Amino acid sequence: MSKEDYEIVIGLEVHSELSTNTKIFCSCPTDFGGEPNTHCCPICMAMPGTLPVLNEEVVKYAVKAGLATNCEIAIESKNDRKNYFYPDLPKAYQISQYDEPLCKKGYIEIDLGETKKKIGITRIHIEEDAGKLNHDPYGRGSLVDLNRAGVPLIEIVSEPDMRSAEEVDAYLKKLKSILEYIEVSDCKMQEGSLRADVNISIRKKGAKEFGTRTEMKNMNSFRSIVRAIEYEADRQIEIIDNGGKIEQETLRWDDVSGKTFQMRDKENAQDYRYFPDPDLIKFTVSKETQELIKESLPELPESRKKRYTEEYGISERDSNILVSSKYYSDLFEKANKISNNPKAVSNWIITEITRVINEKEIEQSEIPFSAEHLGELVILIDKGTISSSIGKKVLEELFENPRKPEEIIKEKGWIQISDENVIEEIVVSVLDANPQSIADFKAGKDRALGFLVGQAMKQSKGKANPQMLNSRFIELINNKY
Ligand code: ADP
Ligand code: MG
Ligand code: ZN
């Protein structure tokens, strides 16, 4: 059978670090980095005799995530111990949630080109992160850093509803943008504050039952997730095609070799012996509290998108690009408030700004200028103070040394030339130098006009007002040449 005869089935367990100020069961800071073992206390270092106290903010953040993903929120919920041994987990158990998760039965809608699809959210629960092992590159041992131990996480478990790497990519991007909008996590994948376990199986198209799944742990880049899914699906198809059977196992994706490797097989699957943590009491989130949190939620990407297409007439595609990142969307909103020209602002962000950040290989969040600067740039073009080609130079300058666009153009002498006498002078000199273009234009070749305007722009170093050039060229050719 060929690849096309199989369907890929994928479900994700996504871990996201919450950006509360303090850890989940103690008052240590959650800041990333820092000297090893400086963000910890007896509680998160698991000293005997210490007691955890649940951070109320963590519950609120998780409820926000639940509401933003259409989940039911449990009125009453509890914390359970998940028992296992690893050197980065000093208590030898992780406090998590087992059979009474805080949120369940939600969904996220993803965009797939023309169509939309709902991906079910099975549950969202709260838990603590583990510490970090720093392995000595010369093999002399490993050092434990407990700064991350006790940093709050939510785990978002999806239904096995995804059918391709493309759907997984769309799901993760949507989830990431929702978490960013509601400001519960910074979702920095490179810092590990958003990571995913990818569960994958295959089945013959039309089959009712799911196949046996494998699980790839701790993936933290979109690119490797897509590659890993493609690799793992092919590997499973080949096994089945050759009459083999998929073993349920936990895998590790290796980005360098582009392959998956076994971490544990089913026999070595762990029995976590979950039980309710006797040090923590059940906690409640009343209906009233839920309502208050719901009211505090900001506008989500879906609703922003609707506004962009319906109110501003921005295309579906462009709106998607804008809202897929909170950074872009906020930049758009603020710059538009200043300039009142949504289409122009959207174009600047999607074409020019995106081009420059790709060239410079920087993140959107590293854009050095403000939304005010972008808004003012758009106004200067709308007023005709500068042409849009000068606008591009102003933008480059904003990336280099951000300051008011007005100052930049004054300093650089880039103000558009709209003085009739100067325009006249340029037009006449270009016409005198290009008799052939005049003849072409008279013979009906409209492109000749474009050439002439281009020459005049060149002569004025991009500063001449193009509309004025255009009409003056036509007038002069028709009347004087
Ligand atoms: P565990 O904690 O043992 O990993 P769950 O049963 O909660 O397990 O499932 C974890 C994830 O695996 C979920 O996201 C779910 O959608 C996904 N999943 C379950 N069965 C399959 C399957 N046959 N193929 C692909 N994904 C699956
Ligand atoms: Mg799992
Ligand atoms: Zn602590």
Side-chain angles (χ1 to χ4, degrees), residues 23 25-29 39-45 149-150:
K23 291 186 179 179
F25 299 117
C26 62
S27 51
C28 292
H39 302 163
C40 36
C41 70
I43 296 174
C44 53
M45 289 191 298

Side-chain angles (χ1 to χ4, degrees), residues 233-265:
D234 284 351
R235 190 187 69 88
Q236 293 189 11
I237 290 171
E238 197 176 315
I239 292 175
I240 299 281
D241 249 1
N242 290 321
K245 252 179 69 184
I246 304 300
E247 299 296 336
Q248 186 168 342
E249 57 187 350
T250 306
L251 305 170
R252 178 178 64 82
W253 164 256
D254 179 57
D255 223 19
V256 179
S257 62
K259 291 182 174 157
T260 49
F261 294 94
Q262 188 182 62
M263 281 168 72
R264 317 186 262 278
D265 60 16

Side-chain angles (χ1 to χ4, degrees), residues 389-390 393 413 415 417 421-434 450-465 469 473:
S389 59
I390 291 292
K393 288 166 63 172
I415 295 177
I417 302 169
N421 295 327
V422 183
I423 295 280
E424 181 80 10
E425 225 171 86
I426 299 170
V427 168
V428 168
S429 91
V430 170
L431 285 174
D432 287 343
N434 295 283
F451 173 78
L452 291 167
V453 172
Q455 291 303 105
M457 288 303 277
K458 207 184 237 171
Q459 200 176 97
S460 68
K461 300 203 174 63
K463 291 192 297 187
N465 180 323
L469 288 176
F473 269 119

Side-chain angles (χ1 to χ4, degrees), residues 13 197 199 213 215 217:
E13 295 156 277
D197 300 343
N199 295 271
R213 70 183 152 109
E215 176 173 5
K217 283 278 186 199

Side-chain angles (χ1 to χ4, degrees), residues 165 169 172 189 198 216 218-232 253-256 258 260:
D169 193 59
L172 273 174
M189 294 182 93
V198 180
M216 297 184 281
N218 276 328
M219 311 280 307
N220 66 353
S221 96
F222 286 105
R223 212 182 120 257
S224 37
I225 288 171
V226 170
R227 281 178 72 206
I229 290 171
E230 281 161 2
Y231 171 85
E232 180 58 16
W253 164 256
D254 179 57
D255 223 19
V256 179
T260 49

